[in-house]
Amino acid sequence: MSAPVAGEVSLRRPAIRALEQAASVMEFPSVMQPYPRSGRLPDRSELGGMPLSSYAALGDGRSVALAGADGSIDWWCVPNMNSPPLFDRLVAEDTGGCFVIAPTEAFTVERGYRPGSNVFETVFTTAGGKAKLTESLNSGRAGRLPWCELARRIEGLEGSVDFKVRIMFGTHADSICPYLARNDNATTFNAGEVVGLVRVSSGVTLDKEDDLEIHGSFSVRKGDRELVALLAGENEPLVAATVEEIDGRIDVSDGEWRQWSDDIGYDGKFGAEVNRSALALKLLLYSPSGAIAAAATTSLPEGFGSGKNYDYRFAWVRDASYTIKAFLRIGAKAEAKAAFTWLIKCLDERGAHVCYALDGRLAEDVKEYDLPGYRGERPVVSGNQAAKQHQHGIFGDIFETAARFVADGHILDPRSGAVLARLADLAVESWRVKDSGIWELSELEHYTMSKISTWQGLARAVELADGGHIPSTFRDRWARGRDRVREFIDANCWSEERQAYVFHPGSDRIDASLALAVRFGFDGHERMEKTLRAIDRELSKGSFHYRYSGVEEDEGCFLACTFWVLEALALLGHRTEAEERFAAVLNALDTGCGVFAEMIDADSGEYLGNLPQGLTHLALIQTAATLSGEDIR
């Protein structure tokens, strides 16, 4: 929830029209699985909300909706990922907005994405029958629609199943009052700056329509097909698409997703997991600008009782850079180019910052909302203070991305080269300054990983200059700076007593992010081997790893760290060990539908933190590719 923009959402119920039942129905195989494995659902009333692993993510290149295993869409920001939420039950279980389509009697579910797609299916089984719910944030044949279209199709498979429909609109923490408006063409719903329509097929009866809620019901037998959809836009005229058009676009969207994933150039090990993670990353690509959001949610706790609740609907230089490299590695060149172009533009126009809003502006200040939070965990916030921090990591991140971009045979234009040259000047000028580190801490220190990232950035800058890709005016100064940073690390950041690189000079703590240094080409085999074993020894919990020493009481294990460690082990020659452990991690994560959060509770297996988390998915891709023997490029 961005700072409450008066976001008015309007939904409409037009004249009900019948679906063409005679039209041929395409059959799509699904990777369905029970949820959880017993097929029984958790009781959200007892938990105070659904487990994060129960959510599937739907997206259209601009917004992301989270659909729970019980038929409730509990999160959807309209029209953009960083807009105020139309549905916010995720952070306000009892009072938040939601869009429910669920059987009226007890049910179990099997669910999964269509292969190679972000169109999602759930099969409900009741005592009386079976029915399939297919969900999509629709696109058109020419790409993203100029409005948001959330479509939910229900098909009878066996017997008869009675369904309830409930649409309740969020109030942006009671800062707006949604309302219905009627005109000659339709009934619309308005919430802040959003206007929308509810479309239903002929078999759906809307029993209640008032300013806050819409209720309905319907039944399906074998062969029946109904649809409930929501169209919405922000301060703009809205096309009143027909039920038939919306229903058809579910399969159009599926085809577009499958075509995109079929074009991915990855044929290595763990192909299904890589494909699913690539599709998750694609959801986070904000197509209007090319920005890559770190995650699609805000305020999901990193640990219960920790207060570590943050808004991740911004584009971090780090996360965007890593995602660009992952896209390059699987052959998603258009996405990599769009994101890299956006990143260079932000650095040029706004200066070197840790993160940016999805439209390129600087992140706004943190604002807290009077909402109960996910399962009672406060605070619920918008905005992020990280943009005001200094982190040396951005130097390594952006230059490594540029180096990988040109290594693939692509071209840097003169403007991009000039931006990078200025950034190298800044790196060599400021490397002696303390920073907040990769983990964005309030304590300023000479963090070892920050120094390694500066070394990495300057090393790549020299290589780019030598290759004629960026101006070489100060190339020799960059080279001297690179060597001095290396000398500082060797003299101050290695601990003979701990036999590892430590968090920062004078510390005895261990930092799991140092595993990345292997990929960056820092140091030799021996010291990095010892550091990795220290990370395993001191930061691991079961198959997973905490970020650094001392956080185990406040938060879960950081999933990307585990993938970084396993990739580093493979690069240091322990490929068999790394592959076995990687398979074990994937098995431990297999509690949902392939959408991963930032962290996990290693004891319970419960997901923690915002989701879908780009850093988790891209780290999985990189590790799988390395285990497949692909060169890091």
Side-chain angles (χ1 to χ4, degrees):
M1 72 197 40
S2 291
V5 175
E8 297 180 23
V9 170
S10 93
L11 278 185
R12 140 207 183 163
R13 178 198 175 197
I16 311 287
R17 299 184 58 180
L19 284 171
E20 294 294 335
Q21 297 291 345
S24 61
V25 178
M26 299 176 68
E27 292 295 329
F28 298 91
S30 298
V31 186
M32 306 294 285
Q33 63 177 17
Y35 175 80
R37 288 184 173 82
S38 66
R40 297 177 58 193
L41 288 168
D43 187 338
R44 71 185 300 154
S45 63
E46 290 184 5
L47 293 175
M50 292 295 288
L52 297 181
S53 60
S54 77
Y55 288 103
L58 314 172
D60 60 1
R62 185 169 60 171
S63 64
V64 172
L66 296 184
D70 62 347
S72 180
I73 290 180
D74 292 341
W75 185 256
W76 188 31
C77 295
V78 178
N80 304 313
M81 274 184 273
N82 58 349
S83 298
L86 177 59
F87 302 135
D88 60 351
R89 190 182 188 185
L90 189 66
V91 292
E93 173 66 19
D94 296 327
T95 60
C98 58
F99 180 6
V100 179
I101 298 180
T104 58
E105 58 181 318
F107 59 87
T108 58
V109 299
E110 292 179 286
R111 61 203 306 255
Y113 285 101
R114 287 181 175 179
S117 175
N118 279 321
V119 172
F120 196 74
E121 294 181 333
T122 300
V123 173
F124 296 101
T125 300
T126 70
K130 283 188 177 184
K132 180 169 66 176
L133 170 65
T134 303
E135 303 174 278
S136 171
L137 265 172
N138 279 345
S139 58
R141 295 191 183 277
R144 178 172 55 82
L145 296 170
W147 61 84
C148 295
E149 187 170 286
L150 178 55
R152 310 184 80 185
R153 173 201 293 161
I154 307 89
E155 298 168 273
L157 303 179
E158 297 177 8
S160 178
V161 183
D162 296 330
F163 280 88
K164 63 181 178 182
V165 178
R166 179 185 178 222
I167 303 172
M168 180 175 176
F169 305 103
T171 63
H172 305 175
D174 293 332
S175 66
I176 64 166
C177 291
Y179 66 93
L180 292 176
R182 293 172 175 84
N183 58 46
D184 290 344
N185 290 340
T187 297
T188 62
F189 192 92
N190 301 264
E193 296 182 352
V194 179
V195 61
L197 310 171
V198 173
R199 288 296 201 188
V200 299
S201 54
S202 60
V204 179
T205 300
L206 297 183
D207 310 304
K208 173 185 177 182
E209 294 178 87
D210 63 28
D211 285 342
L212 287 182
E213 294 190 49
I214 296 175
H215 289 190
S217 61
F218 63 92
S219 298
V220 289
R221 297 181 178 275
K222 183 176 181 179
D224 290 345
R225 180 164 162 167
E226 303 292 350
L227 182 113
V228 184
L230 190 155
L231 286 70
E234 184 180 48
N235 283 337
E236 59 187 299
L238 194 62
V239 170
T242 67
V243 164
E244 293 87 353
E245 290 169 335
I246 298 167
D247 183 72
R249 275 196 286 265
I250 294 175
D251 298 325
V252 169
S253 301
D254 178 73
E256 294 296 316
W257 283 119
R258 287 186 291 113
Q259 181 175 337
W260 182 83
S261 60
D262 285 346
D263 289 341
I264 288 176
Y266 181 84
D267 57 2
K269 298 178 180 178
F270 306 101
E273 291 83 0
V274 168
N275 188 267
R276 176 50 48 202
S277 284
L279 284 159
L281 289 180
K282 178 70 168 170
L283 289 176
L284 296 174
L285 182 70
Y286 181 64
S287 61
S289 68
I292 297 172
T297 54
T298 178
S299 307
L300 298 183
E302 297 178 357
F304 289 103
S306 70
K308 292 183 174 181
N309 298 13
Y310 307 109
D311 189 352
Y312 276 9
R313 297 169 303 156
F314 297 90
W316 268 255
V317 172
R318 174 193 62 213
D319 298 51
S321 296
Y322 293 175
T323 303
I324 292 165
K325 287 182 283 185
F327 277 145
L328 287 171
R329 205 162 187 188
I330 61 176
K333 296 177 183 178
E335 289 73 19
K337 187 273 178 192
F340 190 34
T341 298
W342 177 85
L343 201 52
I344 290 291
K345 182 179 180 181
C346 288
L347 291 165
D348 185 25
E349 295 180 354
R350 302 289 183 182
H353 293 276
V354 174
C355 65
Y356 304 89
L358 300 183
D359 62 4
R361 294 173 299 141
L362 296 182
E364 65 264 23
D365 290 338
V366 174
K367 181 169 183 175
E368 189 169 332
Y369 298 85
D370 185 18
L371 290 170
Y374 173 74
R375 289 169 62 175
E377 291 293 321
R378 295 176 184 251
V380 175
V381 299
S382 67
N384 200 291
Q385 294 284 12
K388 297 182 178 180
Q389 290 185 342
H390 177 64
Q391 296 179 24
H392 293 312
I394 64 171
F395 301 129
D397 297 337
I398 191 62
F399 277 104
E400 189 72 27
T401 301
R404 297 309 166 209
F405 190 79
V406 301
D408 266 14
H410 309 305
I411 306 299
L412 291 178
D413 63 287
R415 177 200 184 197
S416 297
V419 171
L420 291 168
R422 291 200 303 270
L423 198 63
D425 292 341
L426 179 61
V428 79
E429 188 72 25
S430 64
W431 75 266
R432 298 179 186 275
V433 177
K434 294 181 179 181
D435 76 337
S436 295
I438 188 174
W439 303 125
E440 301 178 352
L441 302 176
S442 58
E443 303 86 3
L444 299 179
E445 294 286 355
H446 291 292
Y447 291 105
T448 302
M449 191 60 206
S450 293
K451 302 307 183 193
I452 290 175
S453 293
T454 307
W455 168 87
Q456 173 197 16
L458 291 170
R460 300 294 94 80
V462 170
E463 293 167 7
L464 288 167
D466 289 347
H469 299 290
I470 66 175
S472 59
T473 307
F474 296 104
R475 180 262 183 212
D476 291 343
R477 188 188 181 206
W478 302 340
R480 292 194 301 271
R482 173 201 60 195
D483 296 341
R484 286 170 182 154
V485 175
R486 176 60 184 265
E487 291 167 3
F488 177 92
I489 296 168
D490 288 342
N492 298 281
C493 300
W494 172 261
S495 169
E496 282 295 331
E497 179 181 353
R498 306 287 277 123
Q499 285 294 287
Y501 286 110
V502 290
F503 208 7
H504 56 78
S507 172
D508 65 353
R509 294 190 292 168
I510 302 297
D511 175 10
S513 73
L514 289 166
L516 285 168
V518 178
R519 185 200 296 169
F520 299 161
F522 182 81
D523 199 70
H525 184 288
E526 184 179 355
R527 281 191 170 184
M528 286 313 308
E529 170 91 23
K530 291 179 178 178
T531 299
L532 284 174
R533 296 306 177 185
I535 291 170
D536 258 347
R537 186 170 58 250
E538 302 191 26
L539 298 182
S540 65
K541 181 73 175 291
S543 297
F544 303 104
H545 297 80
Y546 294 104
R547 293 188 294 153
Y548 55 88
S549 304
V551 297
E552 59 275 5
E553 297 300 321
D554 294 333
E555 62 186 46
C557 292
F558 197 83
L559 292 172
C561 285
T562 293
F563 292 130
W564 295 341
V565 168
L566 300 184
E567 181 187 36
L569 285 172
L571 291 170
L572 291 176
H574 306 287
R575 190 174 300 274
T576 300
E577 176 192 354
E579 185 168 337
E580 290 174 353
R581 290 174 60 178
F582 185 68
V585 167
L586 295 181
N587 183 65
L589 288 174
D590 187 21
T591 59
C593 48
V595 174
F596 299 139
E598 179 185 21
M599 298 184 180
I600 191 170
D601 184 308
D603 292 321
S604 67
E606 186 167 2
Y607 291 178
L608 296 166
N610 289 301
L611 80 161
Q613 178 74 17
L615 204 58
T616 301
H617 286 283
L618 66 90
L620 185 158
I621 290 171
Q622 293 280 30
T623 304
T626 297
L627 290 172
S628 297
E630 293 189 9
D631 292 336
I632 294 181
R633 50 181 178 83

